[in-house]
Amino acid sequence: MAQITILNDMVSQDFAASLDIQKSWGIQVLDLRQNIFGKNLAGLTIDEAKAAAEQIAERDMSVYCLSSGIFLNDIELGREAFANRYDAEIEHIIQLAEVLKPKVVRLLSARSSKRDAYLDSVEHMEANHPWVIPMYREAVDRIHSAGLQVTIENEAKKCIWSKPNEIIGFFRELNRPDKVSFTFDVQNIWFEGTFPTMDVYRELRPLMGYYHLKGGQTGESGDKLVWQSALDDASWPVAELTKQVLADKATEVICLNPSHGEVKPGYDYNNLDKRNYDYVKNIIDSMNEDGSS
């Protein structure tokens, strides 16, 4: 059955405190993103990575994923902007991985400031930015050659992926099925306009390797994401979809993320991260009890 983790900077801005809190909850595997000694992965030195690795080992924990920000940029800026920035970051993340020993390195789906002007991002990139997918291929090959699996997460806010067919088309053109998988951030695809139904999951399931969870609620009408919320009263089918992910063994680890949306007046946001952790743990425990593992 899958384990649960949470982005390291969510529970505390202090790295050691974050490790201690996660350990107290029962978390054993880590997803490292930022606020590692006050830095994100791109700014972390090798010596700092060694110090982080020591603190992790002292607690008998391990790193599952290095959640880099690689490729989170506007493709409309052109190839040179990406190449100059990310070539060095890819090499750096590989060096960090040699120290921190993750199983997976995360890349992010790019953004497009012209996202509202077209319907299919794969067609848009093929016509206007044919360098994008080859650049992802090169990054995947480099990271995989270092002995690591790669995952690419769908981002929010002008993401090149707003619908399942764009994600499927991208991975088809990427053509690296043994090297890279898809991180399904359920709320991010909702933020981009696709409500996360069971059918959406089934379309994306063949690509999946990692699963990110956020809550979120709709407003008075329609299914648009409006409010931040816990997982247990979210407007999308959290329990049903998560149980299917577990039954399908679509991920080894479920990662909790902070919710998008506005702060809802009168909503209780106290201890939200722990509440979400307990909610997902209860789902996993219930499936273990009824023999669904």
Side-chain angles (χ1 to χ4, degrees):
M1 192 61 71
Q3 299 185 73
I4 308 171
T5 192
I6 187 168
L7 294 174
N8 73 284
D9 54 296
M10 286 174 58
V11 294
S12 176
Q13 301 302 298
D14 179 82
F15 184 65
S18 173
L19 297 182
D20 288 337
I21 292 168
Q22 291 182 72
K23 182 76 173 178
S24 73
W25 292 359
I27 291 174
Q28 296 176 306
V29 295
L30 302 169
D31 190 311
L32 302 183
R33 180 177 66 164
Q34 58 193 25
N35 279 314
I36 308 163
F37 310 133
K39 298 181 178 182
N40 62 19
L41 290 169
L44 199 67
T45 68
I46 299 303
D47 285 343
E48 288 166 337
K50 290 177 179 177
E54 288 177 4
Q55 292 192 19
I56 292 165
E58 287 169 358
R59 294 163 175 80
D60 295 319
M61 303 172 86
S62 62
V63 179
Y64 178 71
C65 182
L66 294 184
S67 282
S68 81
I70 294 173
F71 293 139
L72 186 61
N73 204 351
D74 183 2
I75 61 173
E76 311 305 335
L77 296 174
R79 187 185 189 284
E80 186 176 349
F82 272 75
N84 289 346
R85 176 176 175 182
Y86 292 116
D87 185 66
E89 285 196 24
I90 291 165
E91 185 58 35
H92 184 58
I93 205 74
I94 291 170
Q95 293 171 355
L96 292 178
E98 291 175 357
V99 176
L100 292 163
K101 309 296 183 186
K103 184 170 184 179
V104 176
V105 169
R106 181 196 74 172
L107 307 176
L108 288 173
S109 56
R111 288 173 170 156
S112 167
S113 54
K114 297 181 179 179
R115 176 68 261 203
D116 296 337
Y118 55 84
L119 296 176
D120 189 308
S121 62
V122 176
E123 292 181 357
H124 174 72
M125 288 185 289
E126 186 176 281
N128 300 284
H129 309 289
W131 52 269
V132 173
I133 291 177
M135 189 170 288
Y136 272 89
R137 284 195 200 110
E138 180 184 354
V140 168
D141 289 344
R142 286 172 63 184
I143 296 168
H144 188 267
S145 294
L148 300 154
Q149 284 298 118
V150 184
T151 189
I152 309 175
E153 177 185 349
N154 58 304
E155 256 297 339
K157 303 176 182 177
K158 303 290 186 180
C159 176
I160 57 171
W161 296 338
S162 64
K163 301 177 289 294
N165 68 287
E166 292 179 316
I167 299 168
I168 293 166
F170 185 98
F171 274 84
R172 182 178 58 247
E173 294 301 315
L174 191 61
N175 193 26
R176 296 292 189 274
D178 298 329
K179 299 179 180 181
V180 61
S181 65
F182 171 57
T183 289
F184 183 25
D185 187 305
V186 182
Q187 197 192 78
N188 280 355
I189 201 168
W190 183 15
F191 189 98
E192 292 301 297
T194 297
F195 187 79
T197 64
M198 292 299 295
D199 285 341
V200 168
Y201 163 70
R202 292 186 187 100
E203 285 189 78
L204 296 172
R205 164 66 187 95
L207 302 174
M208 274 183 63
Y210 201 15
Y211 182 51
H212 282 197
L213 282 182
K214 304 168 183 170
Q217 293 180 346
T218 59
E220 295 181 356
S221 60
D223 59 10
K224 182 180 178 181
L225 171 64
V226 177
W227 306 113
Q228 299 176 22
S229 84
L231 290 169
D232 60 7
D233 58 3
S235 298
W236 63 276
V238 181
E240 182 185 9
L241 205 157
T242 300
K243 287 178 180 179
Q244 193 61 55
V245 167
L246 294 168
D248 291 345
K249 296 181 171 60
T251 185
E252 294 181 304
V253 178
I254 295 172
C255 185
L256 305 180
N257 282 204
S259 179
H260 292 298
E262 300 176 28
V263 174
K264 189 175 184 178
Y267 191 90
D268 181 10
Y269 289 102
N270 290 318
N271 301 312
L272 197 65
D273 296 330
K274 183 60 163 60
R275 286 161 53 192
N276 287 339
Y277 174 83
D278 289 341
Y279 179 72
V280 177
K281 187 175 185 301
N282 285 337
I283 292 174
I284 293 173
D285 290 346
S286 70
M287 292 193 67
N288 283 331
E289 289 170 4
D290 68 18
S292 300
S293 61

